[in-house]
């Protein structure tokens, strides 16, 4: 009798590691507006760094009365994963040392990465840049706030329009040494009202790329299936319906959204 075939052990995915690994708190991230803890998580001999944001450390928000920041962070990851663009680090909802919370893979930022945001003393941006708006720089002077004309940022702008991100700041953009770009801090998303606040207005009113249209079509289908089922566990039925409506609106218009005028268009502080 021949020996049975040996099947190599399946490698643990980052999401599985975050969900099932042993979570150890290493320190506190002090510049976060809500409780955020730097941790490691270990499973089957593998260990990675991560961020743990316990629900118990969240500050109540009057305009986000339903659910939790942690749930919306996970919902944002689920939508981002469905796009295939890999724009949000793996994120799970799990129990931890301080109760249930969001756990997200830690991303090491490349300090030598290309600049994504800037202030210029000019009326129009240079080639390769998109205008956001004027910003006060002191002594009654203003400068033009700009962001890079970067396809990664453009994809993120589409994702933010879908999840209705109310807080896309410069500090939430994490470029890595391998050329990727991640967006983080998605606790104020999925509101039923239009609350889009972002630094990524450079494409406002421009036609969506063909790639973005195809991704949105895929999201529309996924929201009627497994993605919709998963999101129903994380956000309210009204928020899920509003997400579907935003996807449909983007596809119908075929353009990036423009500021509504009903809500401050740029988060403050912008970084």
């Amino acid at each position: 009798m021949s020996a049975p075939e040996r099947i190599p052990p399946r490698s643990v995915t980052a999401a599985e590691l975050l969900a099932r690994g042993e979570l150890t708190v290493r320190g506190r991230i002090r510049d976060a507006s809500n409780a955020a803890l730097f941790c490691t998580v270990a499973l089957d001999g593998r260990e990675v760094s991560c961020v743990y944001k316990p629900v118990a450390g969240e500050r109540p928000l009057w305009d986000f009365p339903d659910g939790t920041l942690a749930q919306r962070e996970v919902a944002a990851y689920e939508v981002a994963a469905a796009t295939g663009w890999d724009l949000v680090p793996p994120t799970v909802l799990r129990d931890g040392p301080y109760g249930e919370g969001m756990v997200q893979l830690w991303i090491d930022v490349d300090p030598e990465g290309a600049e994504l945001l800037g202030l210029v003393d000019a009326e129009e941006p240079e080639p390769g840049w998109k205008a956001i708006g004027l910003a006060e720089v002191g002594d009654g002077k203003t400068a033009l706030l700009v962001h890079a004309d970067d396809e990664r940022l453009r994809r993120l702008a589409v994702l933010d329009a879908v999840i209705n991100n109310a807080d896309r700041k410069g500090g939430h953009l994490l470029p890595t040494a391998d050329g990727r770009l991640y967006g983080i801090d998605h606790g104020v998303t999925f509101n039923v009202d239009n609350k889009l606040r972002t630094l990524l207005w450079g494409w406002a009113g421009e036609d969506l790329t063909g790639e973005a249209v195809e991704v949105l079509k895929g999201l529309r289908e996924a929201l009627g299936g497994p993605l919709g089922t998963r999101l129903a566990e994380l956000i309210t039925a009204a928020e899920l319906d509003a997400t579907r409506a935003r996807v449909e609106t983007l596809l119908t218009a075929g353009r990036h959204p423009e500021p509504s005028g009903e809500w401050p268009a740029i988060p403050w502080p912008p970084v």
Side-chain angles (χ1 to χ4, degrees), residues 159-192:
L159 174 65
D160 283 343
V162 170
I163 65 176
N164 197 15
N165 191 353
D167 195 32
R168 175 61 71 204
K169 296 178 179 178
H172 300 166
L173 304 173
L174 307 183
T176 64
D178 61 1
R180 297 185 181 184
L181 177 71
Y182 292 97
I184 60 168
D185 285 347
H186 298 108
V188 286
T189 48
F190 295 101
N191 202 294
V192 296

Side-chain angles (χ1 to χ4, degrees), residues 43-183:
L43 180 69
D44 295 340
R46 184 182 174 194
E47 182 177 283
V48 296
S49 300
C50 60
V51 177
Y52 165 47
K53 297 181 181 179
V55 171
E58 296 181 2
R59 298 177 182 177
L61 298 173
W62 68 267
D63 53 343
F64 286 84
D66 300 310
T68 65
L69 302 181
Q71 288 172 309
R72 288 189 287 273
E73 291 250 30
V74 176
Y77 165 70
E78 295 288 349
V79 174
T83 67
W85 281 335
D86 195 25
L87 293 170
V88 178
T91 312
V92 302
L93 192 68
R94 60 163 287 176
D95 194 30
Y98 298 101
E100 184 177 69
M102 179 278 282
V103 177
Q104 185 176 79
L105 186 68
W106 179 267
I107 299 299
D108 289 316
V109 176
D110 179 15
E112 304 300 325
E115 290 292 326
L116 298 174
L117 299 167
L119 280 169
V120 296
D121 185 15
E123 294 183 357
E124 297 291 336
E126 295 182 357
W129 293 87
K130 289 283 189 177
I132 303 169
L134 293 174
E136 294 184 5
V137 294
D139 297 328
K141 297 181 180 179
T142 60
L144 186 64
L145 184 61
V146 297
H147 67 68
D149 188 2
D150 185 306
E151 69 173 8
R152 301 170 302 172
L153 291 180
R154 191 166 190 173
R155 290 169 175 170
L156 196 58
V158 174
L159 174 65
D160 283 343
V162 170
I163 65 176
N164 197 15
N165 191 353
D167 195 32
R168 175 61 71 204
K169 296 178 179 178
H172 300 166
L173 304 173
L174 307 183
T176 64
D178 61 1
R180 297 185 181 184
L181 177 71
Y182 292 97

